[in-house]
Each structure stands twice: as C-alpha cells, then as structure tokens.
Amino acid sequence: MATVELTFSALPAHVRTARLVATAIARRTGVEESLLDEVRLAVGEACSRAVEAHRAHCPGEPIRIELRDDSGRFEVTVSDQAPSDEIQQEQPVDLGTLSDSFMSGFGIAVIAGLADDVEVFPSPKGMRIRMSWPASLNGRAS
Amino acid sequence: MDLKLDHHNEDRLTIVEVEGEIDVYTAPRLRELLIDLVNKGNFHLLVNMEKVDFLDSTGLGVLVGGLKRVRAHDGSLELVCTQERILKIFRITGLTKVFGIYASVDEAKEAHGKDK
C-alpha cells in the first residue's frame, strides 16, 4: 500500500479528521480491530501536541502526518515545525503541578503507553513522532 | 460525534452528563461548564462518562483542573466509567489514583452518601 500523506493547518477541529483518517487506513492496512482504539488515541495525542505547539510558535505552518504500510507494520509519523529541544520527562502524578491546560508531557506518555513501538525526535526545527503497530502482511488494501 | 453536555443536581451532588468526544477541540466546553458550576457553588461533582466515545490527555487536563477547583472548596469530583478504552488512559497516566471512579451513578451516590 502506498504512503498516505495528510497536511492540515494547526486548528483543533482538524485533529478529529486526522484521527478518523488514521483509523480508516489502519483498518485497511490490516491492523487488528482490538488495536484500532489505540491507534486512534495515539494519533490524536500526537496531532493535539503538534497543534498546540504550532499555535504557540508558528500558527500559519501546516502539520504533516504520514501513514504507511511497512513490511507488515502500520507506521504513522506526525511532524511539526515548532522548536522543541527537549522532551518533558514523565513525572509522578502530583495534582498541585498538573494544569488543566494541555499537558504535553502527558500526551507523549499516553502515546508511549499505547503504541507498540514509538520514537520521538525533538529538534529546533520541530518534533517528529513515529509510531507503529503490527498489521497483517496482506492488508485489505494491498 | 461532537460533545453533548448536561447537568442536574441530586441532593448535594451535581451530576454532569457527558456524551461524545472530549479532545483538544471540544474540551474547552467541558472546562467552561466545570468552572461555571464551581463558580455557582457546586462543589461536589460527579461526571458520568458512560457515553463518552473518546477521551485524550486534553480532556484529562480539564478533569484534573476541575478536581483542583472543587478541592479548593473542600469539594469532590468523581467519575462514572466502565468503558475499558476510557479507563485505559486513566491507568496509563496514573490518574486512577487521583479520581474516584465508579461503575454507576447509583454506586457513586451511595459512596458519596457514606462520606457525608
């Protein structure tokens, strides 16, 4: 199956669209039904984090999401263009330090807890989050 | 699906009914409702999440924010949730230790009554 690429402007409303597209392609690629909720949530977290980062640093720039079938794995890469030199480390839950605004550290912690395989590449030019799940070797669309 | 919100009072408890998806787009509406309820003196909130289809970390942040606000008034914010896909995100983030999570509104009301 060919790679599917999607770019969207940094608006919260588009995150749902990205989730739906990722889930639909995961299903067609042959990801098990029991994993689709995890795909949906992890992709949503990555896109939400990117939208918040763009709104803070570069609201006019688009966010890119690539979805591909790679040798029996369904791989998703979410790339933003907002500077990110470091990743917030996972902290023990402390109600006093949690805020009700977006919790970017939580987002990445959630992705790490959901995706079978995750790599986060922060850089001054933007962050790239690559995650993948097992898919059948002959997914429905191949 | 969009987000539908409703609320009503039963004794000292304010039950917030949530239906749909809580994400970066819709979470601000839930935040506004929780702030409004607290500002109007409702300090014991029970959020029924049985009809929530999707919850992400933005939604968790709103619930944590609500909990902080009610606790400032010696109040409580508890949840009704039995859906595994929603409970999973609470477990991953360790928030099962922060929120009281009940299997039904009646069970939460009973527990709340004992705490009076």
PDB file of all heavy atoms in Angstrom, chain A residues 12-13 16 19 37-38 40-41 45 48 52 93 95 98 100 102-103 106 110, chain B residues 1 21 23-24 31 53-58 61 65 68-69 71 85 88 93 98:
ATOM      1  N   PRO A  12      -7.571  22.945  16.222  1.00  0.00           N
ATOM      2  CA  PRO A  12      -8.033  21.787  16.984  1.00  0.00           C
ATOM      3  C   PRO A  12      -9.089  20.965  16.256  1.00  0.00           C
ATOM      4  O   PRO A  12      -9.129  19.739  16.386  1.00  0.00           O
ATOM      5  CB  PRO A  12      -8.596  22.414  18.263  1.00  0.00           C
ATOM      6  CG  PRO A  12      -7.839  23.684  18.428  1.00  0.00           C
ATOM      7  CD  PRO A  12      -7.593  24.182  17.025  1.00  0.00           C
ATOM      8  N   ALA A  13      -9.940  21.623  15.460  1.00  0.00           N
ATOM      9  CA  ALA A  13     -11.013  20.899  14.778  1.00  0.00           C
ATOM     10  C   ALA A  13     -10.472  19.850  13.812  1.00  0.00           C
ATOM     11  O   ALA A  13     -11.143  18.850  13.529  1.00  0.00           O
ATOM     12  CB  ALA A  13     -11.907  21.881  14.024  1.00  0.00           C
ATOM     13  N   ARG A  16      -9.563  15.760  14.890  1.00  0.00           N
ATOM     14  CA  ARG A  16     -10.525  14.659  14.766  1.00  0.00           C
ATOM     15  C   ARG A  16     -10.454  14.053  13.363  1.00  0.00           C
ATOM     16  O   ARG A  16     -10.508  12.833  13.198  1.00  0.00           O
ATOM     17  CB  ARG A  16     -11.945  15.166  15.054  1.00  0.00           C
ATOM     18  CG  ARG A  16     -12.986  14.090  14.953  1.00  0.00           C
ATOM     19  CD  ARG A  16     -14.344  14.576  15.453  1.00  0.00           C
ATOM     20  NE  ARG A  16     -15.281  13.473  15.503  1.00  0.00           N
ATOM     21  CZ  ARG A  16     -16.148  13.223  14.539  1.00  0.00           C
ATOM     22  NH1 ARG A  16     -16.186  13.969  13.453  1.00  0.00           N
ATOM     23  NH2 ARG A  16     -16.980  12.209  14.652  1.00  0.00           N
ATOM     24  N   ARG A  19      -7.504  11.826  13.149  1.00  0.00           N
ATOM     25  CA  ARG A  19      -7.767  10.565  13.855  1.00  0.00           C
ATOM     26  C   ARG A  19      -8.584   9.610  12.987  1.00  0.00           C
ATOM     27  O   ARG A  19      -8.296   8.414  12.901  1.00  0.00           O
ATOM     28  CB  ARG A  19      -8.576  10.829  15.134  1.00  0.00           C
ATOM     29  CG  ARG A  19      -7.824  11.405  16.289  1.00  0.00           C
ATOM     30  CD  ARG A  19      -8.570  11.159  17.603  1.00  0.00           C
ATOM     31  NE  ARG A  19      -9.955  11.560  17.636  1.00  0.00           N
ATOM     32  CZ  ARG A  19     -10.401  12.734  18.086  1.00  0.00           C
ATOM     33  NH1 ARG A  19      -9.540  13.635  18.514  1.00  0.00           N
ATOM     34  NH2 ARG A  19     -11.687  13.012  18.130  1.00  0.00           N
ATOM     35  N   ASP A  37      -8.541   1.350  18.575  1.00  0.00           N
ATOM     36  CA  ASP A  37      -8.741   2.417  19.565  1.00  0.00           C
ATOM     37  C   ASP A  37      -7.404   3.015  19.994  1.00  0.00           C
ATOM     38  O   ASP A  37      -7.293   4.221  20.238  1.00  0.00           O
ATOM     39  CB  ASP A  37      -9.469   1.883  20.798  1.00  0.00           C
ATOM     40  CG  ASP A  37     -10.980   1.935  20.623  1.00  0.00           C
ATOM     41  OD1 ASP A  37     -11.446   2.754  19.817  1.00  0.00           O
ATOM     42  OD2 ASP A  37     -11.667   1.148  21.302  1.00  0.00           O
ATOM     43  N   GLU A  38      -6.387   2.152  20.092  1.00  0.00           N
ATOM     44  CA  GLU A  38      -5.060   2.635  20.491  1.00  0.00           C
ATOM     45  C   GLU A  38      -4.458   3.509  19.395  1.00  0.00           C
ATOM     46  O   GLU A  38      -3.845   4.540  19.678  1.00  0.00           O
ATOM     47  CB  GLU A  38      -4.141   1.448  20.795  1.00  0.00           C
ATOM     48  CG  GLU A  38      -4.663   0.604  21.945  1.00  0.00           C
ATOM     49  CD  GLU A  38      -3.707  -0.497  22.353  1.00  0.00           C
ATOM     50  OE1 GLU A  38      -2.596  -0.555  21.796  1.00  0.00           O
ATOM     51  OE2 GLU A  38      -4.081  -1.290  23.237  1.00  0.00           O
ATOM     52  N   ARG A  40      -6.156   5.247  17.212  1.00  0.00           N
ATOM     53  CA  ARG A  40      -6.943   6.488  17.192  1.00  0.00           C
ATOM     54  C   ARG A  40      -6.468   7.447  18.287  1.00  0.00           C
ATOM     55  O   ARG A  40      -6.263   8.641  18.052  1.00  0.00           O
ATOM     56  CB  ARG A  40      -8.425   6.134  17.380  1.00  0.00           C
ATOM     57  CG  ARG A  40      -9.359   7.317  17.295  1.00  0.00           C
ATOM     58  CD  ARG A  40     -10.796   6.890  17.119  1.00  0.00           C
ATOM     59  NE  ARG A  40     -11.386   6.325  18.315  1.00  0.00           N
ATOM     60  CZ  ARG A  40     -12.598   6.660  18.781  1.00  0.00           C
ATOM     61  NH1 ARG A  40     -13.327   7.553  18.135  1.00  0.00           N
ATOM     62  NH2 ARG A  40     -13.074   6.108  19.858  1.00  0.00           N
ATOM     63  N   LEU A  41      -6.279   6.902  19.498  1.00  0.00           N
ATOM     64  CA  LEU A  41      -5.884   7.757  20.624  1.00  0.00           C
ATOM     65  C   LEU A  41      -4.450   8.260  20.463  1.00  0.00           C
ATOM     66  O   LEU A  41      -4.167   9.444  20.668  1.00  0.00           O
ATOM     67  CB  LEU A  41      -6.053   6.989  21.931  1.00  0.00           C
ATOM     68  CG  LEU A  41      -5.736   7.733  23.224  1.00  0.00           C
ATOM     69  CD1 LEU A  41      -6.463   9.069  23.299  1.00  0.00           C
ATOM     70  CD2 LEU A  41      -6.104   6.870  24.434  1.00  0.00           C
ATOM     71  N   GLU A  45      -3.320  12.088  20.099  1.00  0.00           N
ATOM     72  CA  GLU A  45      -2.404  12.734  21.052  1.00  0.00           C
ATOM     73  C   GLU A  45      -1.261  13.433  20.316  1.00  0.00           C
ATOM     74  O   GLU A  45      -0.897  14.569  20.643  1.00  0.00           O
ATOM     75  CB  GLU A  45      -1.826  11.704  22.027  1.00  0.00           C
ATOM     76  CG  GLU A  45      -2.812  11.139  23.029  1.00  0.00           C
ATOM     77  CD  GLU A  45      -3.259  12.145  24.074  1.00  0.00           C
ATOM     78  OE1 GLU A  45      -2.695  13.254  24.139  1.00  0.00           O
ATOM     79  OE2 GLU A  45      -4.195  11.829  24.823  1.00  0.00           O
ATOM     80  N   SER A  48      -2.668  16.493  18.548  1.00  0.00           N
ATOM     81  CA  SER A  48      -3.035  17.548  19.517  1.00  0.00           C
ATOM     82  C   SER A  48      -1.787  18.277  20.003  1.00  0.00           C
ATOM     83  O   SER A  48      -1.762  19.509  20.099  1.00  0.00           O
ATOM     84  CB  SER A  48      -3.746  16.954  20.730  1.00  0.00           C
ATOM     85  OG  SER A  48      -4.969  16.403  20.354  1.00  0.00           O
ATOM     86  N   GLU A  52      -1.010  22.283  19.399  1.00  0.00           N
ATOM     87  CA  GLU A  52      -0.722  23.225  20.489  1.00  0.00           C
ATOM     88  C   GLU A  52       0.647  23.871  20.294  1.00  0.00           C
ATOM     89  O   GLU A  52       0.820  25.069  20.523  1.00  0.00           O
ATOM     90  CB  GLU A  52      -0.779  22.502  21.840  1.00  0.00           C
ATOM     91  CG  GLU A  52      -2.180  22.049  22.228  1.00  0.00           C
ATOM     92  CD  GLU A  52      -3.129  23.219  22.474  1.00  0.00           C
ATOM     93  OE1 GLU A  52      -2.667  24.275  22.949  1.00  0.00           O
ATOM     94  OE2 GLU A  52      -4.323  23.083  22.176  1.00  0.00           O
ATOM     95  N   VAL A  93       2.399  11.468  39.397  1.00  0.00           N
ATOM     96  CA  VAL A  93       1.242  12.358  39.429  1.00  0.00           C
ATOM     97  C   VAL A  93       1.263  13.222  40.679  1.00  0.00           C
ATOM     98  O   VAL A  93       1.362  12.726  41.790  1.00  0.00           O
ATOM     99  CB  VAL A  93      -0.071  11.535  39.403  1.00  0.00           C
ATOM    100  CG1 VAL A  93      -1.272  12.445  39.582  1.00  0.00           C
ATOM    101  CG2 VAL A  93      -0.175  10.783  38.097  1.00  0.00           C
ATOM    102  N   LEU A  95      -1.021  16.417  41.870  1.00  0.00           N
ATOM    103  CA  LEU A  95      -2.147  17.276  41.496  1.00  0.00           C
ATOM    104  C   LEU A  95      -1.766  18.750  41.505  1.00  0.00           C
ATOM    105  O   LEU A  95      -2.228  19.528  40.690  1.00  0.00           O
ATOM    106  CB  LEU A  95      -3.317  17.023  42.455  1.00  0.00           C
ATOM    107  CG  LEU A  95      -4.675  17.553  42.036  1.00  0.00           C
ATOM    108  CD1 LEU A  95      -5.110  16.963  40.715  1.00  0.00           C
ATOM    109  CD2 LEU A  95      -5.697  17.275  43.118  1.00  0.00           C
ATOM    110  N   LEU A  98      -0.139  19.706  38.158  1.00  0.00           N
ATOM    111  CA  LEU A  98      -0.857  19.489  36.909  1.00  0.00           C
ATOM    112  C   LEU A  98      -1.687  20.717  36.579  1.00  0.00           C
ATOM    113  O   LEU A  98      -2.250  21.347  37.453  1.00  0.00           O
ATOM    114  CB  LEU A  98      -1.790  18.280  37.042  1.00  0.00           C
ATOM    115  CG  LEU A  98      -1.104  16.921  37.185  1.00  0.00           C
ATOM    116  CD1 LEU A  98      -2.162  15.852  37.391  1.00  0.00           C
ATOM    117  CD2 LEU A  98      -0.274  16.604  35.969  1.00  0.00           C
ATOM    118  N   ASP A 100      -4.805  22.412  33.961  1.00  0.00           N
ATOM    119  CA  ASP A 100      -5.924  21.975  33.138  1.00  0.00           C
ATOM    120  C   ASP A 100      -5.758  22.449  31.710  1.00  0.00           C
ATOM    121  O   ASP A 100      -6.617  22.238  30.883  1.00  0.00           O
ATOM    122  CB  ASP A 100      -7.266  22.443  33.716  1.00  0.00           C
ATOM    123  CG  ASP A 100      -7.340  23.933  33.870  1.00  0.00           C
ATOM    124  OD1 ASP A 100      -6.277  24.572  33.932  1.00  0.00           O
ATOM    125  OD2 ASP A 100      -8.464  24.444  33.939  1.00  0.00           O
ATOM    126  N   PHE A 102      -3.392  22.176  28.192  1.00  0.00           N
ATOM    127  CA  PHE A 102      -2.852  20.986  27.554  1.00  0.00           C
ATOM    128  C   PHE A 102      -1.597  20.501  28.267  1.00  0.00           C
ATOM    129  O   PHE A 102      -0.716  21.274  28.602  1.00  0.00           O
ATOM    130  CB  PHE A 102      -2.528  21.313  26.093  1.00  0.00           C
ATOM    131  CG  PHE A 102      -2.013  20.135  25.350  1.00  0.00           C
ATOM    132  CD1 PHE A 102      -2.865  19.126  24.966  1.00  0.00           C
ATOM    133  CD2 PHE A 102      -0.667  20.041  25.039  1.00  0.00           C
ATOM    134  CE1 PHE A 102      -2.390  18.034  24.268  1.00  0.00           C
ATOM    135  CE2 PHE A 102      -0.187  18.958  24.348  1.00  0.00           C
ATOM    136  CZ  PHE A 102      -1.047  17.952  23.954  1.00  0.00           C
ATOM    137  N   MET A 103      -1.524  19.190  28.513  1.00  0.00           N
ATOM    138  CA  MET A 103      -0.391  18.624  29.239  1.00  0.00           C
ATOM    139  C   MET A 103       0.453  17.840  28.249  1.00  0.00           C
ATOM    140  O   MET A 103       0.228  16.654  28.023  1.00  0.00           O
ATOM    141  CB  MET A 103      -0.897  17.737  30.359  1.00  0.00           C
ATOM    142  CG  MET A 103      -1.747  18.513  31.353  1.00  0.00           C
ATOM    143  SD  MET A 103      -2.260  17.511  32.747  1.00  0.00           S
ATOM    144  CE  MET A 103      -3.439  16.434  31.988  1.00  0.00           C
ATOM    145  N   PHE A 106       2.039  14.613  29.282  1.00  0.00           N
ATOM    146  CA  PHE A 106       1.063  13.539  29.382  1.00  0.00           C
ATOM    147  C   PHE A 106       0.779  12.943  28.010  1.00  0.00           C
ATOM    148  O   PHE A 106       0.621  11.743  27.876  1.00  0.00           O
ATOM    149  CB  PHE A 106      -0.242  14.076  29.980  1.00  0.00           C
ATOM    150  CG  PHE A 106      -0.411  13.727  31.421  1.00  0.00           C
ATOM    151  CD1 PHE A 106       0.677  13.764  32.265  1.00  0.00           C
ATOM    152  CD2 PHE A 106      -1.643  13.379  31.928  1.00  0.00           C
ATOM    153  CE1 PHE A 106       0.531  13.454  33.605  1.00  0.00           C
ATOM    154  CE2 PHE A 106      -1.802  13.066  33.260  1.00  0.00           C
ATOM    155  CZ  PHE A 106      -0.710  13.104  34.102  1.00  0.00           C
ATOM    156  N   VAL A 110       1.128   9.109  27.124  1.00  0.00           N
ATOM    157  CA  VAL A 110      -0.006   8.305  26.655  1.00  0.00           C
ATOM    158  C   VAL A 110       0.374   7.552  25.378  1.00  0.00           C
ATOM    159  O   VAL A 110       0.106   6.356  25.240  1.00  0.00           O
ATOM    160  CB  VAL A 110      -1.251   9.202  26.418  1.00  0.00           C
ATOM    161  CG1 VAL A 110      -2.344   8.429  25.686  1.00  0.00           C
ATOM    162  CG2 VAL A 110      -1.778   9.722  27.739  1.00  0.00           C
TER     163      VAL A 110
ATOM    164  N   MET B   1     -18.492  12.330  16.302  1.00  0.00           N
ATOM    165  CA  MET B   1     -19.567  12.889  17.134  1.00  0.00           C
ATOM    166  C   MET B   1     -19.049  14.074  17.942  1.00  0.00           C
ATOM    167  O   MET B   1     -17.925  14.054  18.414  1.00  0.00           O
ATOM    168  CB  MET B   1     -20.106  11.809  18.077  1.00  0.00           C
ATOM    169  CG  MET B   1     -21.167  12.320  19.016  1.00  0.00           C
ATOM    170  SD  MET B   1     -21.700  11.084  20.214  1.00  0.00           S
ATOM    171  CE  MET B   1     -23.205  10.530  19.465  1.00  0.00           C
ATOM    172  N   GLU B  21     -17.188  13.074  22.144  1.00  0.00           N
ATOM    173  CA  GLU B  21     -15.729  13.038  22.144  1.00  0.00           C
ATOM    174  C   GLU B  21     -15.155  14.232  22.911  1.00  0.00           C
ATOM    175  O   GLU B  21     -15.538  15.373  22.664  1.00  0.00           O
ATOM    176  CB  GLU B  21     -15.210  13.065  20.703  1.00  0.00           C
ATOM    177  CG  GLU B  21     -15.698  11.866  19.888  1.00  0.00           C
ATOM    178  CD  GLU B  21     -15.068  11.795  18.509  1.00  0.00           C
ATOM    179  OE1 GLU B  21     -14.588  12.830  18.007  1.00  0.00           O
ATOM    180  OE2 GLU B  21     -15.062  10.686  17.931  1.00  0.00           O
ATOM    181  N   ASP B  23     -11.830  16.075  23.268  1.00  0.00           N
ATOM    182  CA  ASP B  23     -10.478  16.208  22.723  1.00  0.00           C
ATOM    183  C   ASP B  23     -10.071  17.677  22.720  1.00  0.00           C
ATOM    184  O   ASP B  23     -10.734  18.521  23.332  1.00  0.00           O
ATOM    185  CB  ASP B  23     -10.388  15.573  21.326  1.00  0.00           C
ATOM    186  CG  ASP B  23     -11.188  16.338  20.269  1.00  0.00           C
ATOM    187  OD1 ASP B  23     -11.827  17.354  20.611  1.00  0.00           O
ATOM    188  OD2 ASP B  23     -11.163  15.913  19.105  1.00  0.00           O
ATOM    189  N   VAL B  24      -8.984  17.969  22.012  1.00  0.00           N
ATOM    190  CA  VAL B  24      -8.437  19.328  22.030  1.00  0.00           C
ATOM    191  C   VAL B  24      -9.443  20.350  21.495  1.00  0.00           C
ATOM    192  O   VAL B  24      -9.385  21.520  21.850  1.00  0.00           O
ATOM    193  CB  VAL B  24      -7.098  19.360  21.237  1.00  0.00           C
ATOM    194  CG1 VAL B  24      -7.330  19.102  19.760  1.00  0.00           C
ATOM    195  CG2 VAL B  24      -6.329  20.644  21.462  1.00  0.00           C
ATOM    196  N   ARG B  31     -14.489  22.367  30.122  1.00  0.00           N
ATOM    197  CA  ARG B  31     -13.790  23.206  31.108  1.00  0.00           C
ATOM    198  C   ARG B  31     -14.679  24.363  31.543  1.00  0.00           C
ATOM    199  O   ARG B  31     -14.816  24.644  32.739  1.00  0.00           O
ATOM    200  CB  ARG B  31     -12.488  23.745  30.496  1.00  0.00           C
ATOM    201  CG  ARG B  31     -11.728  24.662  31.476  1.00  0.00           C
ATOM    202  CD  ARG B  31     -10.544  25.358  30.827  1.00  0.00           C
ATOM    203  NE  ARG B  31      -9.540  24.398  30.434  1.00  0.00           N
ATOM    204  CZ  ARG B  31      -9.066  24.262  29.202  1.00  0.00           C
ATOM    205  NH1 ARG B  31      -9.522  25.024  28.235  1.00  0.00           N
ATOM    206  NH2 ARG B  31      -8.153  23.354  28.928  1.00  0.00           N
ATOM    207  N   ASP B  53     -17.226   8.656  23.899  1.00  0.00           N
ATOM    208  CA  ASP B  53     -16.639   7.767  22.882  1.00  0.00           C
ATOM    209  C   ASP B  53     -15.120   7.899  22.823  1.00  0.00           C
ATOM    210  O   ASP B  53     -14.434   6.978  22.396  1.00  0.00           O
ATOM    211  CB  ASP B  53     -17.178   8.129  21.484  1.00  0.00           C
ATOM    212  CG  ASP B  53     -18.667   7.941  21.400  1.00  0.00           C
ATOM    213  OD1 ASP B  53     -19.143   6.924  21.904  1.00  0.00           O
ATOM    214  OD2 ASP B  53     -19.347   8.831  20.840  1.00  0.00           O
ATOM    215  N   PHE B  54     -14.637   9.065  23.199  1.00  0.00           N
ATOM    216  CA  PHE B  54     -13.202   9.323  23.045  1.00  0.00           C
ATOM    217  C   PHE B  54     -12.761  10.335  24.094  1.00  0.00           C
ATOM    218  O   PHE B  54     -13.443  11.319  24.340  1.00  0.00           O
ATOM    219  CB  PHE B  54     -12.922   9.887  21.632  1.00  0.00           C
ATOM    220  CG  PHE B  54     -11.472  10.159  21.364  1.00  0.00           C
ATOM    221  CD1 PHE B  54     -10.629   9.140  20.928  1.00  0.00           C
ATOM    222  CD2 PHE B  54     -10.937  11.420  21.547  1.00  0.00           C
ATOM    223  CE1 PHE B  54      -9.282   9.382  20.690  1.00  0.00           C
ATOM    224  CE2 PHE B  54      -9.601  11.671  21.313  1.00  0.00           C
ATOM    225  CZ  PHE B  54      -8.770  10.655  20.889  1.00  0.00           C
ATOM    226  N   LEU B  55     -11.603  10.058  24.711  1.00  0.00           N
ATOM    227  CA  LEU B  55     -11.036  10.981  25.700  1.00  0.00           C
ATOM    228  C   LEU B  55      -9.528  11.013  25.496  1.00  0.00           C
ATOM    229  O   LEU B  55      -8.890   9.960  25.418  1.00  0.00           O
ATOM    230  CB  LEU B  55     -11.342  10.485  27.123  1.00  0.00           C
ATOM    231  CG  LEU B  55     -10.662  11.233  28.268  1.00  0.00           C
ATOM    232  CD1 LEU B  55     -11.307  12.602  28.488  1.00  0.00           C
ATOM    233  CD2 LEU B  55     -10.714  10.427  29.559  1.00  0.00           C
ATOM    234  N   ASP B  56      -8.956  12.206  25.380  1.00  0.00           N
ATOM    235  CA  ASP B  56      -7.495  12.290  25.255  1.00  0.00           C
ATOM    236  C   ASP B  56      -6.920  13.074  26.430  1.00  0.00           C
ATOM    237  O   ASP B  56      -7.632  13.428  27.376  1.00  0.00           O
ATOM    238  CB  ASP B  56      -7.080  12.865  23.895  1.00  0.00           C
ATOM    239  CG  ASP B  56      -7.412  14.347  23.757  1.00  0.00           C
ATOM    240  OD1 ASP B  56      -7.863  14.960  24.745  1.00  0.00           O
ATOM    241  OD2 ASP B  56      -7.210  14.887  22.663  1.00  0.00           O
ATOM    242  N   SER B  57      -5.625  13.356  26.374  1.00  0.00           N
ATOM    243  CA  SER B  57      -4.974  13.995  27.522  1.00  0.00           C
ATOM    244  C   SER B  57      -5.477  15.420  27.752  1.00  0.00           C
ATOM    245  O   SER B  57      -5.416  15.926  28.863  1.00  0.00           O
ATOM    246  CB  SER B  57      -3.456  13.991  27.352  1.00  0.00           C
ATOM    247  OG  SER B  57      -3.085  14.738  26.221  1.00  0.00           O
ATOM    248  N   THR B  58      -5.997  16.064  26.696  1.00  0.00           N
ATOM    249  CA  THR B  58      -6.589  17.398  26.891  1.00  0.00           C
ATOM    250  C   THR B  58      -7.811  17.275  27.799  1.00  0.00           C
ATOM    251  O   THR B  58      -8.013  18.094  28.699  1.00  0.00           O
ATOM    252  CB  THR B  58      -7.008  18.005  25.542  1.00  0.00           C
ATOM    253  OG1 THR B  58      -6.012  17.728  24.569  1.00  0.00           O
ATOM    254  CG2 THR B  58      -7.211  19.489  25.664  1.00  0.00           C
ATOM    255  N   GLY B  61      -6.784  16.737  31.281  1.00  0.00           N
ATOM    256  CA  GLY B  61      -6.355  18.008  31.879  1.00  0.00           C
ATOM    257  C   GLY B  61      -7.534  18.809  32.398  1.00  0.00           C
ATOM    258  O   GLY B  61      -7.460  19.419  33.470  1.00  0.00           O
ATOM    259  N   GLY B  65      -8.182  19.839  36.193  1.00  0.00           N
ATOM    260  CA  GLY B  65      -8.433  21.245  36.543  1.00  0.00           C
ATOM    261  C   GLY B  65      -9.698  21.388  37.376  1.00  0.00           C
ATOM    262  O   GLY B  65      -9.738  22.130  38.361  1.00  0.00           O
ATOM    263  N   LYS B  68      -9.040  20.192  40.904  1.00  0.00           N
ATOM    264  CA  LYS B  68      -8.304  21.185  41.700  1.00  0.00           C
ATOM    265  C   LYS B  68      -9.235  22.291  42.195  1.00  0.00           C
ATOM    266  O   LYS B  68      -9.134  22.738  43.339  1.00  0.00           O
ATOM    267  CB  LYS B  68      -7.183  21.801  40.855  1.00  0.00           C
ATOM    268  CG  LYS B  68      -6.022  20.845  40.631  1.00  0.00           C
ATOM    269  CD  LYS B  68      -5.033  21.375  39.629  1.00  0.00           C
ATOM    270  CE  LYS B  68      -4.247  22.572  40.151  1.00  0.00           C
ATOM    271  NZ  LYS B  68      -3.189  22.957  39.195  1.00  0.00           N
ATOM    272  N   ARG B  69     -10.161  22.694  41.330  1.00  0.00           N
ATOM    273  CA  ARG B  69     -11.075  23.784  41.717  1.00  0.00           C
ATOM    274  C   ARG B  69     -12.017  23.357  42.844  1.00  0.00           C
ATOM    275  O   ARG B  69     -12.239  24.111  43.785  1.00  0.00           O
ATOM    276  CB  ARG B  69     -11.878  24.258  40.503  1.00  0.00           C
ATOM    277  CG  ARG B  69     -11.056  25.077  39.548  1.00  0.00           C
ATOM    278  CD  ARG B  69     -11.891  25.690  38.424  1.00  0.00           C
ATOM    279  NE  ARG B  69     -11.022  26.500  37.581  1.00  0.00           N
ATOM    280  CZ  ARG B  69     -10.326  26.019  36.561  1.00  0.00           C
ATOM    281  NH1 ARG B  69     -10.419  24.758  36.236  1.00  0.00           N
ATOM    282  NH2 ARG B  69      -9.525  26.820  35.864  1.00  0.00           N
ATOM    283  N   ARG B  71     -11.583  20.933  44.993  1.00  0.00           N
ATOM    284  CA  ARG B  71     -10.832  20.655  46.222  1.00  0.00           C
ATOM    285  C   ARG B  71     -10.479  21.942  46.959  1.00  0.00           C
ATOM    286  O   ARG B  71     -10.330  21.936  48.179  1.00  0.00           O
ATOM    287  CB  ARG B  71      -9.562  19.863  45.902  1.00  0.00           C
ATOM    288  CG  ARG B  71      -9.868  18.390  45.675  1.00  0.00           C
ATOM    289  CD  ARG B  71      -8.610  17.557  45.727  1.00  0.00           C
ATOM    290  NE  ARG B  71      -8.908  16.142  45.549  1.00  0.00           N
ATOM    291  CZ  ARG B  71      -7.982  15.224  45.325  1.00  0.00           C
ATOM    292  NH1 ARG B  71      -6.709  15.573  45.245  1.00  0.00           N
ATOM    293  NH2 ARG B  71      -8.312  13.962  45.181  1.00  0.00           N
ATOM    294  N   ARG B  85     -11.783   1.234  27.169  1.00  0.00           N
ATOM    295  CA  ARG B  85     -10.924   2.106  26.350  1.00  0.00           C
ATOM    296  C   ARG B  85     -10.730   3.482  26.990  1.00  0.00           C
ATOM    297  O   ARG B  85      -9.745   4.153  26.733  1.00  0.00           O
ATOM    298  CB  ARG B  85     -11.481   2.236  24.934  1.00  0.00           C
ATOM    299  CG  ARG B  85     -12.837   2.889  24.833  1.00  0.00           C
ATOM    300  CD  ARG B  85     -13.263   2.934  23.389  1.00  0.00           C
ATOM    301  NE  ARG B  85     -14.612   3.406  23.228  1.00  0.00           N
ATOM    302  CZ  ARG B  85     -15.226   3.480  22.061  1.00  0.00           C
ATOM    303  NH1 ARG B  85     -14.615   3.126  20.971  1.00  0.00           N
ATOM    304  NH2 ARG B  85     -16.455   3.920  21.992  1.00  0.00           N
ATOM    305  N   LYS B  88      -8.470   2.914  30.283  1.00  0.00           N
ATOM    306  CA  LYS B  88      -7.065   2.644  29.958  1.00  0.00           C
ATOM    307  C   LYS B  88      -6.216   3.922  30.033  1.00  0.00           C
ATOM    308  O   LYS B  88      -5.091   3.914  30.534  1.00  0.00           O
ATOM    309  CB  LYS B  88      -6.978   2.047  28.544  1.00  0.00           C
ATOM    310  CG  LYS B  88      -5.599   1.575  28.174  1.00  0.00           C
ATOM    311  CD  LYS B  88      -5.639   0.782  26.883  1.00  0.00           C
ATOM    312  CE  LYS B  88      -4.286   0.154  26.618  1.00  0.00           C
ATOM    313  NZ  LYS B  88      -4.311  -0.763  25.478  1.00  0.00           N
ATOM    314  N   THR B  93      -1.852   7.035  32.680  1.00  0.00           N
ATOM    315  CA  THR B  93      -1.367   8.288  33.249  1.00  0.00           C
ATOM    316  C   THR B  93      -1.323   8.276  34.780  1.00  0.00           C
ATOM    317  O   THR B  93      -0.916   9.259  35.393  1.00  0.00           O
ATOM    318  CB  THR B  93      -2.273   9.457  32.800  1.00  0.00           C
ATOM    319  OG1 THR B  93      -3.631   9.122  33.121  1.00  0.00           O
ATOM    320  CG2 THR B  93      -2.169   9.686  31.302  1.00  0.00           C
ATOM    321  N   VAL B  98      -5.996   9.299  41.455  1.00  0.00           N
ATOM    322  CA  VAL B  98      -6.391  10.676  41.769  1.00  0.00           C
ATOM    323  C   VAL B  98      -7.920  10.819  41.808  1.00  0.00           C
ATOM    324  O   VAL B  98      -8.464  11.528  42.656  1.00  0.00           O
ATOM    325  CB  VAL B  98      -5.792  11.646  40.715  1.00  0.00           C
ATOM    326  CG1 VAL B  98      -6.314  13.061  40.912  1.00  0.00           C
ATOM    327  CG2 VAL B  98      -4.263  11.626  40.792  1.00  0.00           C
TER     328      VAL B  98
END
